[in-house]
Amino acid sequence: MTIQYKTPSADLQHQLDLLQKEFDYEKEMYREQTERTGIHRRIQQGLCWYPVLPGRSYYNSLNQLVIEIERREDKEIEHNFEYGRPVCFFTTGASGKPEYLNFSAVISYVQDDRMVVVLPSPSALFDIQGKSEIGVQLYFDETSYKTMFSALSAVIGAKGNRLAYLRDVLLGKTPAGRRTLFPIRFPWLNGSQEEAVNHVLAAKDVSIVHGPPGTGKTTTLVEAIYETLHRENQVMVCAQSNTAVDWIAEKLVDRGINVLRIGNPTRVNDKMLSFTYERRFESHPDYAELWGIRKAIREIQSNLKKKSHSEKETARNRLSRLRFRVTELEVKIDAELFAEARVVACTLVGSANRVLMNRNFTSLFIDEAAQALEAACWIAIGKADRVILAGDHHQLPPTIKCIEAARGGLDCTLMQKVTDSKPEVVSLLKTQYRMHDDIMRFPSHWFYNDELLSAPEVKHRGILEYDTPVVWLDTADCHFTEDQLADSMSRINKDEANLLVSTLQTYIGKIGKERVLDESIDFGLISPYKSQVHYIRGLIKRNAFFKPFRRLITVHTVDGFQGQERDVIMISLVRANEKGQIGFLGDLRRMNVAITRARMKLIILGDAPTMTRHAFYKALFQYIRQNGQVITLTPEE
């Protein structure tokens, strides 16, 4: 439940205070981590590349100086570098300790072991090129926080305008307005999806599409956007992450909609890259002239010192004329790109991009709104007349690092607040197309008031005849123990991991190797703890049996599986202790995501006495005992 404040402004001020705590905490964490953690450890954590090879440098279509950077070692380690994140460079010097170069830069593009970085000045380029052993690491991102602080302050101070009205509707007691529209039929959608699209079209201020796992939220949202564009010339579509923006943008492109993607996608594929603002800018017929003038300006500037006084005056006059023409061309290209676009797509923080300054949109669609900080949502809402939120607040919340800020309510999203205070604006999608009915019924009962239904085509779908779709392997009698790693809060249960891998091998054998490969039956191995995930990955990698199936097996944390699904899901709960402590497994939204990734088979491995002290896991254990199979393992097994 959300906390009710006397006024929307008091609520927003509380959000501002909590965001400040998160900012201070994250900044301090970054400082401590940089001071205490060695380069090798930061590489292992995916925060650093060292050594790197600086490549070619050039000016991109936005006239930014960029340099290509390539990772030379540790290429198998997953990293956290992505578009838009700030980085800093360092050298190791004679002491072996990192010495940081005096500037920060921003990632423009990342793919595998190569990235393109926007530099602040030519002197930064000389600094990089003048060093032999150089590394790059993620820098603390102050820009996103400053943008969110600014957005919250703007909403708090808004008076007598559309933003003030939306604030009072979304957070206050002002009722949400609706238009009276004759319902439109969409024969290709199911009943609840059709109802949701009509609900969006009729909304004057706000509408929420609540999409539980497998219910076709993206399909519904794309239809709502498509239909809105019959009534409006242009809409904005946002999400918290680049990946989520790319996903919805690709679906819109598939419907033939002209999308202008602000910011390069993290997973830069050819399809979305061609829709980015930068690529569209470069493809414009006037760009060749613009590029030529920019080059001429740089050449004149670099030669200015060598000229006489009279020559300098002539050069400055020419520079003035060239700069005027550059501005003229940039404005013309920009105006034409936006005039052609029906959908402008970007992240929530990306909606503060300078190319979107002073632009307003009749409708704003925010996908994965339940994973977005409220402050980030207000950045985009400030540019819109109405807002449509889509997501599921019973799945993963925003990532909050400061426990005090999370407990204070920073992880309570705008979508959740509006859902609690104005249930009349919510449309629940009720038919799911992913899970066997036996897998679906428990999350439906616990999270969705038993309102979910299984589509006939998936209701009884299985891999093996007479198979049990839901199984709990109870390890209590095996006396497995969890361990906490000394240098982190993560936990590991090696015996449980070994059991999971051997269970997977046995199950693949039951299905038949040839059939698994022929039908591409895929498997997801999930653990809430990163240490357990890394250990399981190692077991899979070292076992020759799994070599033919590697492309079909994914091992990841719950967060890594958000938005995905697999034929078979196996979950290692890790926790096994006499006190019944389960840590952040108590965040049931995380477990909801883990369970609902499975299409046809769900296998949970866990110590029942530890887990069932919690009401949720007790109910889940009892449900599986009645509707699936509980297997109590002994040490010999």
Side-chain angles (χ1 to χ4, degrees):
M1 288 293 290
T2 53
I3 301 168
Q4 293 295 314
Y5 290 86
K6 289 182 181 178
T7 65
S9 293
D11 188 346
L12 289 159
Q13 185 59 53
H14 182 64
Q15 282 289 310
L16 194 59
D17 296 341
L18 293 173
L19 191 65
Q20 184 68 51
K21 284 183 181 177
E22 176 74 1
F23 172 75
D24 294 340
Y25 180 84
E26 194 172 343
K27 194 170 186 178
E28 181 61 22
M29 262 182 61
Y30 178 82
R31 188 188 66 78
E32 287 182 7
Q33 191 178 50
T34 303
E35 286 179 3
R36 294 179 185 177
T37 313
I39 293 173
H40 178 70
R41 182 69 183 147
R42 289 205 296 277
I43 291 170
Q44 295 296 317
Q45 292 171 338
L47 307 173
C48 173
W49 285 2
Y50 178 82
V52 296
L53 183 68
R56 71 186 182 104
S57 59
Y58 55 92
Y59 283 86
N60 66 12
S61 59
L62 298 180
N63 205 31
Q64 298 166 320
L65 178 60
V66 299
I67 186 170
E68 294 179 356
I69 301 292
E70 187 179 340
R71 175 161 62 165
R72 285 159 56 187
E73 296 176 11
D74 302 302
K75 295 188 175 185
E76 74 286 351
I77 296 173
E78 289 184 26
H79 63 77
N80 297 314
F81 291 90
E82 61 179 33
Y83 164 78
R85 297 195 70 174
V87 293
C88 57
F89 289 85
F90 63 89
T91 58
T92 49
S95 65
K97 290 185 177 180
E99 297 172 7
Y100 292 91
L101 305 188
N102 193 27
F103 64 88
S104 63
V106 177
I107 299 170
S108 171
Y109 168 97
V110 183
Q111 190 169 42
D112 301 327
D113 301 304
R114 178 178 159 270
M115 72 170 93
V116 178
V117 176
V118 180
L119 298 175
S121 65
S123 63
L125 175 64
F126 298 140
D127 284 350
I128 291 171
Q129 290 176 333
K131 303 294 186 294
S132 53
E133 290 294 309
I134 194 163
V136 61
Q137 74 177 49
L138 285 173
Y139 188 60
F140 177 66
D141 186 4
E142 292 191 2
T143 308
S144 295
Y145 278 103
K146 286 176 180 174
T147 308
M148 288 190 283
F149 287 137
S150 175
L152 285 175
S153 298
V155 186
I156 292 169
K159 288 179 182 177
N161 58 12
R162 185 63 186 166
L163 181 59
Y165 186 79
L166 281 176
R167 174 195 64 206
D168 295 341
V169 170
L170 296 174
L171 296 177
K173 295 179 180 177
T174 303
R178 292 188 61 74
R179 305 182 186 95
T180 304
L181 294 178
F182 190 76
I184 301 170
R185 291 300 315 278
F186 300 96
W188 51 93
L189 301 179
N190 65 45
S192 61
Q193 290 173 334
E194 185 179 279
E195 191 178 312
V197 174
N198 279 293
H199 199 276
V200 167
L201 297 175
K204 280 185 180 178
D205 307 312
V206 61
S207 182
I208 289 179
V209 179
H210 183 187
T215 53
K217 171 183 63 69
T218 303
T219 300
T220 307
L221 194 60
V222 167
E223 202 61 54
I225 294 167
Y226 188 81
E227 201 60 38
T228 299
L229 288 171
H230 288 159
R231 296 157 174 75
E232 300 170 19
N233 185 52
Q234 190 178 69
V235 302
M236 178 184 258
V237 176
C238 292
Q240 175 76 5
S241 69
N242 278 294
T243 305
V245 176
D246 289 346
W247 177 248
I248 187 88
E250 283 181 31
K251 300 298 178 189
L252 292 166
V253 168
D254 290 342
R255 288 295 293 269
I257 297 170
N258 189 324
V259 175
L260 183 62
R261 175 72 164 89
I262 307 298
N264 293 341
T266 311
R267 300 174 290 104
V268 182
N269 53 51
D270 292 338
K271 187 174 184 178
M272 282 321 300
L273 187 60
S274 63
F275 288 90
T276 59
Y277 182 87
E278 289 83 355
R279 279 295 170 92
R280 288 281 185 87
F281 203 97
E282 289 172 356
S283 303
H284 192 278
D286 291 334
Y287 179 69
E289 182 188 350
L290 177 63
W291 187 87
I293 296 173
R294 283 173 173 171
K295 187 181 178 185
I297 288 172
R298 286 195 292 271
E299 287 172 354
I300 293 170
Q301 286 174 327
S302 64
N303 294 324
L304 205 57
K305 289 180 182 178
K306 302 171 188 174
K307 295 182 182 295
S308 65
H309 180 73
S310 60
E311 287 174 331
K312 280 182 181 177
E313 194 61 35
T314 305
R316 286 193 185 104
N317 288 335
R318 188 172 176 228
L319 271 176
S320 180
R321 290 194 302 274
L322 289 174
R323 282 174 179 150
F324 180 81
R325 180 57 179 158
V326 161
T327 303
E328 197 174 50
L329 285 169
E330 285 176 345
V331 169
K332 179 175 183 280
I333 295 171
D334 181 82
E336 289 180 10
L337 292 184
F338 276 98
E340 292 167 2
R342 301 299 310 280
V343 168
V344 175
C346 58
T347 62
L348 291 163
V349 172
S351 65
N353 192 301
R354 64 180 181 82
V355 301
L356 292 172
M357 201 175 291
N358 301 321
R359 294 193 180 276
N360 192 73
F361 299 86
T362 317
S363 295
L364 163 67
F365 293 83
I366 302 179
D367 195 13
E368 302 296 356
Q371 281 190 280
L373 286 171
E374 179 180 340
C377 291
W378 284 112
I379 301 168
I381 293 171
K383 297 180 179 295
D385 295 335
R386 68 175 193 137
V387 58
I388 294 89
L389 304 166
D392 180 11
H393 50 284
H394 295 305
Q395 293 188 61
L396 291 178
T399 302
I400 312 290
K401 292 175 182 172
C402 175
I403 295 171
E404 190 183 348
R407 285 177 180 160
L410 190 62
D411 68 345
C412 182
T413 62
L414 184 62
M415 178 175 168
Q416 189 169 342
K417 288 180 181 178
V418 179
T419 300
D420 289 348
S421 65
K422 289 185 167 61
E424 68 276 8
V425 307
V426 180
S427 299
L428 176 68
L429 304 181
K430 297 179 180 178
T431 304
Q432 67 87 19
Y433 298 87
R434 176 184 298 166
M435 294 164 273
H436 189 287
D437 201 57
D438 289 350
I439 299 170
M440 184 273 301
R441 282 203 315 278
F442 182 78
S444 175
H445 172 72
W446 192 273
F447 297 103
Y448 308 105
N449 301 314
D450 289 314
E451 291 192 72
L452 296 193
L453 302 168
S454 297
E457 58 265 38
V458 303
K459 191 169 187 176
H460 302 298
R461 184 179 58 174
I463 297 172
L464 297 170
E465 284 195 46
Y466 310 112
D467 199 3
T468 308
V470 191
V471 175
W472 185 308
L473 299 182
D474 180 12
T475 62
D477 292 345
C478 299
H479 306 297
F480 292 168
T481 55
E482 60 174 273
D483 294 304
Q484 184 171 345
L485 300 186
D487 57 349
S488 76
M489 293 297 289
S490 194
R491 292 174 187 269
I492 193 168
N493 188 326
K494 292 184 178 180
D495 291 325
E496 189 173 282
N498 285 310
L499 174 63
L500 180 140
V501 171
S502 64
T503 303
L504 173 62
Q505 185 169 338
T506 302
Y507 194 65
I508 289 175
K510 273 188 182 179
I511 300 169
K513 294 181 182 180
E514 292 77 13
R515 187 182 160 208
V516 169
L517 294 170
D518 289 347
E519 298 180 18
S520 291
I521 296 170
D522 51 10
F523 304 84
L525 313 186
I526 301 178
S527 178
Y529 294 96
K530 284 184 179 177
S531 299
Q532 188 80 338
V533 165
H534 290 314
Y535 186 72
I536 292 168
R537 280 181 184 158
L539 293 175
I540 296 288
K541 197 172 183 179
R542 290 189 296 272
N543 190 330
F545 173 87
F546 295 110
K547 193 171 183 181
F549 311 108
R550 295 239 174 102
R551 65 181 176 84
L552 301 170
I553 299 171
T554 309
V555 189
H556 223 310
T557 58
V558 181
D559 300 56
F561 267 101
Q562 173 85 336
Q564 299 186 45
E565 57 188 75
R566 296 292 186 274
D567 295 322
V568 180
I569 287 289
M570 303 176 73
I571 305 170
S572 170
L573 296 175
V574 175
R575 304 307 296 259
N577 57 74
E578 292 179 358
K579 294 180 181 178
Q581 293 176 341
I582 62 170
F584 78 137
L585 283 174
D587 184 346
L588 305 181
R589 293 171 292 191
R590 193 162 252 100
M591 202 57 196
N592 184 32
V593 171
I595 291 170
T596 56
R597 301 309 94 194
R599 295 189 194 107
M600 293 181 270
K601 179 84 171 180
L602 173 67
I603 301 173
I604 297 173
L605 290 85
D607 183 276
T610 301
M611 300 305 304
T612 56
R613 292 195 196 183
H614 189 289
F616 171 85
Y617 293 97
K618 183 179 181 180
L620 176 59
F621 189 77
Q622 288 172 345
Y623 172 84
I624 295 174
R625 177 171 274 158
Q626 291 167 5
N627 300 277
Q629 186 180 18
V630 171
I631 300 173
T632 305
L633 298 170
T634 60
E636 292 75 29
E637 293 175 278

